[in-house]
Amino acid sequence: MIVTLMNLLRACWRPSSNQHARAGSDVAGRQDGLLWYKDTGQHVNGEFSMAVVQANNLLEDQCQIESGPLSFLDSGPYGTFVGVYDGHGGPETACYINDHLFHHLKRFASEQNSMSADVLKKAYEATEDGFFSVVTKQWHVKPQIAAVGSCCLVGVICGGILYVANVGDSRADMSKPRERFWLSNSQQSIISIGDAYLKRSEFNREPLYAKFRLREPFHKPILSSEPSISVQPLQPHDQFLIFASDGLWEHLTNQEAVDIVHSSPRNGSARRLIKAALQEAAKKREMRYSDLKKIDRGVRRHFHDDITVIVVFLDSSLVSRASTYRGPSVSLRGGGVNLRSNTLAPYASQM
């Protein structure tokens, strides 16, 4: 059981290998201190930019982009999957989602031989059930895993349709030239994956720390893992999508984020958004951005949260050919501080 836990934690900070990043040069991204980034890449519907900055001692944000087959069938749906998972209480739930949600989506898409809101809903349910199995197995040796959870934002572009599923406070914005921005999914409510102690009463007891336990018993789950799902046909003038954890939105408005992407080259868009958020965080604390960058993880959390940003640019000619075009397959995960193979404690070095 301890070996399983060690493998799970190591996987969370393992550098992306070529099998998880197969398109273009600099396939695995780059590390600059606490910032990991991939300035540009290709997906089947256009280009993307991706960046993650760490603030917590252990990176609690996880993210991925998967572009290509969205099922296990040769004739199945084809497109792009984007996931942003903002963990809380620890990294375990977000890491689990990163490892399992897309697999479940492909499994249910194979059963239906199509993409749909129902496929997304079932993928979320299967991921929640799977993580609860992990909690049940580890409960007696690691009770605090019952207090770990994650927000979960997913976008799928398939067949000229945009599907956005969300639990928690991460957000996805879309830019349209006339409307400047359109909030594709802004619903925020008390929903998450994990947080078992708020969903099943058998985990709301010792040996869970008293500071987490609720004093009054409950008979219905306090939190839900059922996502809010929006389905929108893409239009030729739709330009790009911004997927980000709430660490970005704490410092930038929707309009500010869209304006930054709109007014700059595509290359480095995600990194540029994170820089703008960090500059605002530094300004709020009356300090210089250059000084904020010198603060190490852990202490950095007093100034800002982990921040994950994925900007997905849409090529209208590729979106319109979605049913026939088979572009390059991409599988990439955001990075963070790596773990030594013989310890569960993180160490301060670049990947």
Side-chain angles (χ1 to χ4, degrees):
M1 186 176 297
I2 296 299
V3 173
T4 301
L5 174 59
M6 291 175 67
N7 289 336
L8 172 64
L9 287 176
R10 288 172 186 149
C12 294
W13 295 275
R14 185 180 301 131
S16 299
S17 63
N18 286 338
Q19 69 177 0
H20 289 299
R22 299 187 296 270
S25 60
D26 190 24
V27 291
R30 296 181 177 179
Q31 193 83 24
D32 179 11
L34 297 179
L35 174 69
W36 174 92
Y37 62 93
K38 182 169 177 61
D39 279 341
T40 186
Q42 291 289 135
H43 65 103
V44 297
N45 300 112
E47 299 175 81
F48 71 88
S49 179
M50 196 171 175
V52 180
V53 67
Q54 181 172 352
N56 288 290
N57 192 40
L58 299 179
L59 180 66
E60 296 184 347
D61 274 18
Q62 299 292 316
C63 62
Q64 66 186 128
I65 182 167
E66 310 284 345
S67 192
L70 298 179
S71 77
F72 298 114
L73 304 175
D74 292 338
S75 60
Y78 208 83
T80 299
F81 171 100
V82 176
V84 173
Y85 319 122
D86 182 0
H88 48 262
E92 291 88 347
T93 310
C95 288
Y96 185 89
I97 297 170
N98 216 15
D99 287 338
H100 295 86
L101 178 59
F102 182 60
H103 177 85
H104 288 312
L105 178 134
K106 293 181 72 173
R107 176 164 63 90
F108 291 116
S110 298
E111 292 178 1
Q112 297 188 11
N113 198 22
S114 66
M115 184 54 58
S116 67
D118 185 58
V119 166
L120 278 165
K121 182 179 178 180
K122 288 181 177 179
Y124 271 68
E125 290 175 352
T127 305
E128 168 91 337
D129 291 344
F131 186 71
F132 267 69
S133 296
V134 173
V135 173
T136 300
K137 293 176 182 178
Q138 297 185 4
W139 164 252
H140 294 290
V141 296
K142 189 186 178 185
Q144 299 316 115
I145 196 171
V148 177
S150 180
C151 303
C152 182
L153 171 65
V154 166
V156 178
I157 303 169
C158 180
I161 304 293
L162 169 65
Y163 304 85
V164 177
N166 194 18
V167 294
D169 53 10
S170 298
R171 293 209 301 268
D173 288 349
M174 176 183 281
S175 172
K176 293 174 178 284
R178 295 179 181 176
E179 302 172 29
R180 294 297 290 166
F181 78 89
W182 171 67
L183 192 59
S184 59
N185 195 334
S186 62
Q187 181 174 335
Q188 298 182 23
S189 55
I190 48 174
I191 45 185
S192 70
I193 290 179
D195 294 306
Y197 78 111
L198 295 176
K199 296 175 181 177
R200 297 183 185 177
S201 59
E202 62 263 33
F203 297 120
N204 184 42
R205 59 180 177 83
E206 293 184 347
L208 183 68
Y209 291 158
K211 67 178 182 179
F212 292 111
R213 298 198 303 267
L214 301 181
R215 296 180 180 179
E216 299 296 328
F218 60 90
H219 304 288
K220 293 182 179 180
I222 296 173
L223 299 183
S224 170
S225 63
E226 182 174 348
S228 59
I229 300 177
S230 67
V231 181
Q232 298 284 341
L234 290 171
Q235 304 299 326
H237 54 266
D238 294 335
Q239 298 175 325
F240 59 82
L241 294 145
I242 302 173
F243 296 86
S245 59
D246 72 325
L248 181 78
W249 308 117
E250 288 175 357
H251 302 291
L252 298 180
T253 66
N254 304 323
Q255 188 66 61
E256 288 170 340
V258 169
D259 287 345
I260 289 170
V261 177
H262 236 298
S263 61
S264 305
R266 292 184 173 187
N267 191 309
S269 293
R271 184 156 54 111
R272 204 170 291 117
L273 284 171
I274 285 183
K275 181 178 180 179
L278 296 186
Q279 288 175 327
E280 186 62 28
K283 181 180 178 181
K284 291 176 181 177
R285 300 298 292 269
E286 299 182 346
M287 65 187 301
R288 294 179 299 184
Y289 167 67
S290 58
D291 291 332
L292 175 63
K293 288 180 63 179
K294 298 174 184 177
I295 301 174
D296 202 1
R297 55 194 171 84
V299 179
R300 182 80 81 88
R301 184 60 183 88
H302 296 287
F303 299 84
H304 66 84
D305 198 356
D306 296 335
I307 303 175
T308 295
V309 179
I310 303 177
V311 183
V312 178
F313 295 96
L314 302 172
D315 185 325
S316 60
S317 64
L318 297 179
V319 172
S320 63
R321 294 161 52 197
S323 60
T324 57
Y325 178 67
R326 294 292 186 267
S329 293
V330 176
S331 181
L332 180 66
R333 297 184 181 187
V337 173
N338 193 23
L339 286 181
R340 294 186 189 274
S341 60
N342 60 351
T343 180
L344 290 178
Y347 69 104
S349 71
Q350 296 184 13
M351 293 200 311

